[in-house]
Amino acid sequence: MEAQAQGLLETEPLQGRDGDAVGSADFSSMLSEEEKEELKAELVQLEDEITTLRQVLSAKERHLVEIKQKLGMNLMNELKQNFSRSWHDMQTTTAYKKTHETLSHAGQKATAAFNNVGTAISKKFGDMRNSSTFKSFEERVETTVASLKTKVGGTNHGGGSFEEVLNSTAHASSQNASAGPRQTKDEELQC
């Protein structure tokens, strides 16, 4: 009882410094010869068991490799399977689901915002086209094109809409470009 009161017989496991102290202590002087022999026999038996277990593990690992080779499994296939499994596991986590949901919601909002901007720009262009300034500009271009056509020798179709004038001008310039450069009479004589 007196030994328990002094803390010599503790029931708690050894911890940190206690384990170091026990490891460095020499208990061999406290053991009888018979106990020493028993411990040496147990030590040899444990070392043999460890060696046997290592050999069994090595044999099982070789057998595992043989089976994988027969099944056509190689390192690349295993990596693919591990990646696929990890990707699936990650997708099932709550954090991934919340992040995916948040990003999806943000993408939907961004799409809606871009659609609104596109609609607003289209409306502004429509408003601009219907403005008096644009109408005045359109009339001036039509008049200018009509007078150029008359001077160049084209026929005047009575103006037409802005798009018709632009299309006819583009058509006329593409025909001139495809005809190639024209030579003047002086250039023809010099050849």
Side-chain angles (χ1 to χ4, degrees):
M1 287 279 198
E2 197 172 312
Q4 274 185 328
Q6 293 176 0
L8 296 177
L9 299 175
E10 294 180 2
T11 58
E12 305 266 333
L14 295 177
Q15 310 231 341
R17 291 179 302 178
D18 296 333
D20 294 340
V22 169
S24 64
D26 184 16
F27 292 108
S28 62
S29 61
M30 297 175 18
L31 298 174
S32 68
E33 287 300 316
E34 186 178 313
E35 289 173 326
K36 287 180 184 178
E37 290 301 318
E38 285 177 13
L39 288 175
K40 285 181 183 178
E42 187 177 347
L43 180 65
V44 168
Q45 182 182 0
L46 283 173
E47 288 175 345
D48 287 345
E49 287 176 5
I50 290 171
T51 303
T52 303
L53 289 172
R54 283 185 180 144
Q55 290 170 349
V56 168
L57 179 61
S58 178
K60 290 201 178 275
E61 287 175 338
R62 281 192 303 272
H63 187 64
L64 175 74
V65 169
E66 290 171 4
I67 290 173
K68 284 182 177 183
Q69 286 176 345
K70 287 178 182 176
L71 291 173
M73 297 171 70
N74 58 23
L75 181 61
M76 185 57 85
N77 288 340
E78 286 187 52
L79 288 174
K80 286 179 187 177
Q81 288 174 352
N82 288 343
F83 178 76
S84 181
R85 189 177 315 113
S86 297
W87 177 248
H88 178 267
D89 292 347
M90 192 220 20
Q91 285 180 318
T92 58
T93 63
T94 306
Y96 177 84
K97 288 178 181 176
K98 286 182 180 179
T99 303
H100 179 70
E101 183 179 306
T102 302
L103 291 176
S104 176
H105 187 65
Q108 290 170 353
K109 284 189 172 189
T111 301
F114 285 129
N115 286 339
N116 290 341
V117 168
T119 302
I121 289 172
S122 295
K123 186 176 185 286
K124 287 291 181 187
F125 277 132
D127 293 347
M128 184 180 79
R129 187 150 190 238
N130 294 328
S131 72
S132 61
T133 306
F134 189 81
K135 292 281 186 193
S136 172
F137 174 73
E138 184 178 24
E139 288 172 5
R140 286 184 186 171
V141 168
E142 288 174 357
T143 305
T144 304
V145 169
S147 72
L148 285 173
K149 278 186 171 183
T150 322
K151 289 179 182 176
V152 173
T155 57
N156 189 354
H157 296 292
S161 73
F162 182 64
E163 284 121 11
E164 290 172 353
V165 172
L166 287 177
N167 287 337
S168 67
T169 305
H171 181 68
S173 61
S174 69
Q175 284 180 343
N176 288 341
S178 65
R182 292 186 178 169
Q183 294 181 340
T184 63
K185 288 188 179 189
D186 290 336
E187 289 175 337
E188 288 176 9
L189 291 175
Q190 287 178 357
C191 292

